[in-house]
Amino acid sequence: MKTMLLALLALPILTPAAHASELPRYAVAIAATPVLNTPEFAKTFSGKVKLDPCKGVRPVEFVAFPGTLFRIEGEQETDGVKVYRVTTNDYPYPTKTGLFVDARFLEKVEGAPRERQRTLPEPAEIRKRLLAAVGRPYVWGGNFKEGVPLLRTLYPKGDPLYGVDCTGLLYEATDGYTPRNSSYLTRYGKGVKVAGLTAAEIAKKLEPLDLVVYRGHVMMVLDEDSIIQSVMGCGGGKRGVVVSPREETLKKLMRTREPADRYPKGSAGEKSFVVRRWLP
């Protein structure tokens, strides 16, 4: 019992925002802002931790765009770094541990809080941005292909998050307009009927910027010939942002998954994929 009590006393104190008069209720990102599922920023970006998604080292949820509005739910200091526990409408997905931001990436909001303005770029600009990311590394939670400048300044020995993951590739290209979660992308926009079709038949139905998606991964159609995606590359395969022929890519996908008109619930989704047409 004594050992348990000492362990509890050693835990960092998380102060609810409602009871901390000096803490603003809302804050806004002043730069590209890493959002973690752990308060351990100093450890994560110490340079001693390799952020390896293949080995399950995945502390980064996403990188918020400048102007992203956060509601501050609490604060704590971990290894000398002041950290806020936050929520944001830009990332409304459930997490087991919550979302955390280094306080130096935020500034308090005076007056009524305002959400970040989301404006969808033109399709040609989106495709241009997607192509500009070719060759960039796969980074779990990354959605700034050039990395995070302020992260380099505050944690010069740490991972600068130079690269993008699969949904992050699309998220950056659309200025954060599209969902940042592949599960949400499976029902984003309108479904294209592909159930029962061959890879060649599906390839003919695809239009630029259609999404070929399942829970855990998304690919984007570039044009009538190609698909672009950011590949994790576990097991020695290709890693990072690559372009490939779309029929060939579909054939490879259909070795393990079947096309569906609507994404199935439960375990059936583990063997399926859908095509979503989302442009307004």
Side-chain angles (χ1 to χ4, degrees):
M1 180 65 71
K2 182 178 180 181
T3 301
M4 183 180 296
L5 179 60
L6 290 174
L8 289 172
L9 290 173
L11 290 174
I13 298 174
L14 188 64
T15 306
H19 297 98
S21 59
E22 77 282 0
L23 189 68
R25 186 180 182 188
Y26 291 94
V28 66
I30 60 175
T33 299
V35 181
L36 274 55
N37 52 36
T38 171
E40 296 182 334
F41 274 79
K43 179 180 178 180
T44 298
F45 298 112
S46 65
K48 299 178 181 179
V49 176
K50 181 175 175 56
L51 308 184
D52 188 343
C54 295
K55 295 182 179 179
V57 185
R58 305 171 178 178
V60 183
E61 289 290 324
F62 83 117
V63 181
F65 272 83
T68 298
L69 182 68
F70 291 95
R71 175 168 176 151
I72 299 176
E73 306 291 350
E75 72 169 66
Q76 67 188 75
E77 186 170 307
T78 304
D79 295 327
V81 177
K82 186 177 181 180
V83 177
Y84 293 150
R85 180 167 56 83
V86 299
T87 55
T88 175
N89 289 335
D90 276 33
Y91 198 82
Y93 318 116
T95 64
K96 293 181 179 180
T97 57
L99 302 176
F100 300 88
V101 173
D102 182 326
R104 293 171 292 183
F105 285 84
L106 306 182
E107 66 179 10
K108 67 179 182 179
V109 175
E110 300 292 345
R114 297 180 62 182
E115 295 286 347
R116 179 177 67 86
Q117 293 296 310
R118 300 172 183 83
T119 303
L120 183 67
E122 292 295 323
E125 177 63 21
I126 296 174
R127 291 196 296 272
K128 179 180 177 181
R129 294 179 183 184
L130 290 172
L131 279 170
V134 173
R136 293 298 195 275
Y138 182 98
V139 172
W140 183 278
N143 50 256
F144 281 87
K145 61 181 179 294
E146 301 295 344
V148 180
L150 186 54
L151 195 58
R152 289 190 178 102
T153 300
L154 297 177
Y155 300 97
K157 295 182 179 180
D159 190 325
L161 305 182
Y162 171 79
V164 295
D165 62 18
C166 62
T167 56
L169 173 61
L170 178 64
Y171 194 72
E172 180 180 25
T174 62
D175 283 338
Y177 186 92
T178 48
R180 190 59 180 84
N181 181 293
S182 60
S183 295
Y184 278 63
L185 288 173
T186 60
R187 55 183 185 269
Y188 187 58
K190 297 180 179 179
V192 177
K193 292 185 177 181
V194 293
L197 300 183
T198 65
E201 290 169 333
I202 296 173
K204 291 179 180 178
K205 297 189 71 170
L206 296 179
E207 295 183 2
L209 298 182
D210 280 352
L211 307 180
V212 180
V213 58
Y214 53 89
R215 189 168 56 242
H217 191 61
V218 63
M219 314 175 193
M220 285 68 70
V221 178
L222 271 177
D223 49 41
E224 61 183 16
D225 298 317
S226 56
I227 280 177
I228 189 170
Q229 58 183 312
S230 186
V231 184
M232 192 182 299
C234 300
K238 290 183 178 179
R239 183 183 177 96
V241 182
V242 296
V243 175
S244 56
R246 68 188 197 182
E247 185 175 337
E248 177 184 310
T249 304
L250 289 168
K251 285 181 179 178
K252 183 178 180 181
L253 176 62
M254 290 173 68
R255 294 173 190 167
T256 56
R257 291 180 177 269
E258 297 180 353
D261 293 341
R262 298 183 64 182
Y263 197 74
K265 295 181 179 180
S267 60
E270 297 176 5
K271 299 180 180 180
S272 305
F273 72 90
V274 293
V275 175
R276 305 297 296 185
R277 188 159 294 155
W278 60 276
L279 283 174

